[in-house]
Amino acid sequence: MSTLPFDTRNIRWNTIDGFDHVAFHVCAVDEDKRIVDILFKFDAHAKIVRHRHRADYITLVLQGELRIYRANGELKEVRPVGSYVTGKADGEPHTEGGGDQDVIVFFSNRNVDNVVYEILDESLNIVTTFGVAEFKALFDQQTPQPSTLVA
């Protein structure tokens, strides 16, 4: 079942070559508080790259449903719109994707030591990592959001 669309007119979506079915917007990187906040948009009926979370996190599904798959491809969980979930670092490797429509999810990564996500191959070997430095660089490269200042 489709949900009401989340208004993304003021979101500047970004992509990274080689990472299919996902767009992102880095909302904030706070190195002192060790927080990395990101909006992700995962394509409907598709899976993103296999990965593991290396930091505690909070998710809030803003549109659609978030489908989480075990590393072997088995559907593990479906989080409907409005789901607020907390998770711990170093959980099982998995992939994620949208249901019948693109899913938009807010991820707040907390207590980040350095690495936020490990990107894994089919044998669960680490291919690359995304940490504070990478998300800070992505944040700095983004087109700024429209101003919300009132004159």
Side-chain angles (χ1 to χ4, degrees):
M1 176 198 303
S2 291
T3 64
L4 294 174
F6 181 72
D7 186 349
T8 62
R9 285 178 288 183
N10 292 319
I11 303 294
R12 306 288 194 249
W13 294 110
N14 304 283
T15 58
I16 297 174
D17 289 340
F19 289 85
D20 298 330
H21 310 297
V22 60
F24 68 92
H25 177 81
V26 180
C27 301
V29 177
D30 188 326
E31 295 172 271
D32 293 332
K33 293 181 182 174
R34 300 178 11 198
I35 297 172
V36 177
D37 290 340
I38 312 162
L39 276 173
F40 283 110
K41 179 169 59 169
F42 303 143
D43 292 346
H45 300 290
K47 296 177 187 175
I48 64 166
V49 68
R50 188 175 293 106
H51 63 280
R52 177 183 294 122
H53 296 250
R54 293 303 311 250
D56 297 339
Y57 61 91
I58 298 167
T59 63
L60 175 62
V61 180
L62 302 171
Q63 173 184 290
E65 64 181 21
L66 177 62
R67 294 183 181 181
I68 300 168
Y69 301 87
R70 290 192 163 87
N72 67 4
E74 173 189 347
L75 181 63
K76 175 184 176 184
E77 183 179 351
V78 176
R79 296 180 186 168
V81 69
S83 295
Y84 178 90
V85 174
T86 61
K88 291 288 189 189
D90 300 324
E92 69 178 297
H94 63 282
T95 186
E96 301 170 74
D100 291 333
Q101 73 184 109
D102 293 349
V103 62
I104 298 174
V105 184
F106 175 73
F107 277 78
S108 185
N109 300 281
R110 307 296 181 97
N111 304 316
V112 178
D113 284 327
N114 182 27
V115 176
V116 179
Y117 303 114
E118 292 176 337
I119 308 304
L120 308 170
D121 66 14
E122 289 186 14
S123 299
L124 305 182
N125 298 307
I126 299 170
V127 175
T128 193
T129 61
F130 283 88
V132 172
E134 290 79 12
F135 282 113
K136 179 77 170 114
L138 291 169
F139 178 78
D140 291 343
Q141 293 169 12
Q142 286 182 153
T143 302
Q145 295 289 88
S147 174
T148 58
L149 295 178
V150 177

